[in-house]
């Protein structure tokens, strides 16, 4: 299947590598089969602007959009199951789902980081220290800590239970585009606008 608009994001389900999802500027969400590269299902939202980010939660696909909504699609059929508005003013720019699939952490255009109960769709925490768009979020395996990266050049480590920043890393030049947490939960890799990858070391999430 060909596309007429740019791809904005892609994601694999946790513990699976035989399929993946993509989002594109035309508001289309597609699930692909890696065995034959065919589209398994497709979802569409015409009124949401552009999808910026997404993550799997069980058999659902949570997506963040430029209109400030999070929209949930069925990963098997592509059907939109629900939507949640006013998640972030200016757009949802980053999203991650906890390992227990009970909550998600979102980042916005204005630097806000928010924690949401997925089932109830209620905000349970609001973290504000970034002063520019949040670009990437990683949740630690304990589901009690997370990393957030931003255009403001900072990577912040958060204690989600205490709703408190516990560590910060600052890139020398340019914003941080994406961040990834190693399996040891100590090493961090970031890529940024300065067009290079950087390795960082944390003492640990606690």
């Amino acid at each position: 299947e060909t596309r007429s608009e740019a791809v904005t994001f892609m994601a694999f389900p946790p513990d699976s590598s035989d399929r993946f999802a993509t989002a594109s500027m035309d508001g289309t969400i597609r699930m692909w089969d890696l065995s034959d590269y065919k589209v398994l299902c497709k979802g569409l939202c015409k009124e949401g602007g552009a999808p910026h980010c997404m993550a799997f939660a069980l058999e659902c696909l949570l997506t963040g959009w430029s209109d400030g909504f999070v929209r949930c699609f069925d990963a098997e059929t592509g059907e939109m199951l629900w939507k949640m508005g006013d998640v972030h003013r200016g757009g949802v720019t980053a999203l991650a789902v906890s390992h227990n699939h009970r909550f998600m952490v979102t980042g916005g255009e204005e630097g806000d980081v928010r924690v949401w109960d997925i089932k109830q769709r209620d905000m349970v925490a609001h973290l504000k220290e970034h002063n520019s768009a949040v670009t990437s979020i990683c949740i630690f395996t304990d589901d009690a800590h997370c990393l957030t990266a931003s255009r403001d050049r900072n990577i912040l480590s958060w204690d989600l239970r205490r709703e408190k920043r516990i560590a910060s890393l600052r890139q020398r030049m340019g914003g941080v585009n994406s961040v990834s947490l190693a399996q040891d939960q100590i090493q961090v890799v970031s890529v940024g606008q300065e067009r290079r990858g950087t390795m960082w070391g944390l003492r640990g999430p606690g």
Side-chain angles (χ1 to χ4, degrees):
E1 181 172 330
T2 59
R3 290 177 175 274
S4 59
E5 297 285 347
V7 174
T8 57
F9 205 86
M10 65 86 61
F12 280 88
D15 305 319
S16 176
S17 59
D18 59 355
R19 59 186 179 134
F20 66 98
T22 59
S24 60
M25 287 292 292
D26 61 3
T28 303
I29 308 296
R30 290 176 173 87
M31 184 69 69
W32 299 82
D33 187 334
L34 268 175
S35 65
D36 56 13
Y37 303 105
K38 291 183 178 179
V39 174
L40 295 170
C41 64
K42 181 166 60 175
L44 178 64
C45 177
K46 294 183 178 180
E47 74 276 5
H52 289 315
C53 50
M54 60 184 173
F56 283 86
L58 298 176
E59 292 304 315
C60 295
L61 189 61
L62 300 177
T63 58
W65 296 70
S66 59
D67 64 354
F69 276 69
V70 166
R71 292 176 171 87
C72 176
F73 292 85
D74 189 310
E76 298 293 331
T77 66
E79 175 188 3
M80 189 190 302
L81 302 176
W82 51 262
K83 60 183 178 180
M84 184 170 67
D86 299 320
V87 176
H88 288 282
R89 186 170 61 180
V92 182
T93 54
L95 186 154
V97 173
S98 64
H99 299 274
N100 62 16
H101 302 283
R102 294 179 180 175
F103 67 89
M104 62 178 169
V105 182
T106 62
E109 182 67 34
E110 297 182 345
D112 297 83
V113 176
R114 292 171 177 168
V115 184
W116 305 85
D117 182 296
I118 294 176
K119 185 176 181 180
Q120 301 297 326
R121 299 173 216 165
D122 291 331
M123 185 172 68
V124 296
H126 181 195
L127 313 170
K128 176 62 174 171
E129 287 207 25
H130 290 298
N131 56 36
S132 190
V134 178
T135 55
S136 187
I137 300 171
C138 292
I139 300 176
F140 286 75
T141 54
D142 65 2
D143 281 340
H145 302 83
C146 81
L147 292 176
T148 58
S150 171
R151 297 285 188 201
D152 65 6
R153 296 162 49 195
N154 291 311
I155 300 169
L156 303 182
S157 179
W158 301 90
D159 184 321
L160 297 177
R161 292 173 181 165
R162 293 189 293 163
E163 300 181 28
K164 180 181 179 181
R165 176 177 60 81
I166 55 176
S168 64
L169 305 167
R170 185 168 177 84
Q171 186 161 277
R172 186 168 57 89
M173 294 178 60
V176 183
N177 292 336
S178 186
V179 65
S180 184
L181 184 63
Q183 289 186 346
D184 63 9
Q185 308 286 281
I186 295 175
Q187 297 183 79
V188 177
V189 180
S190 67
V191 291
Q193 292 177 319
E194 62 177 353
R195 297 183 292 180
R196 67 176 63 184
T198 304
M199 291 285 297
W200 310 86
L202 298 171
R203 292 183 178 180

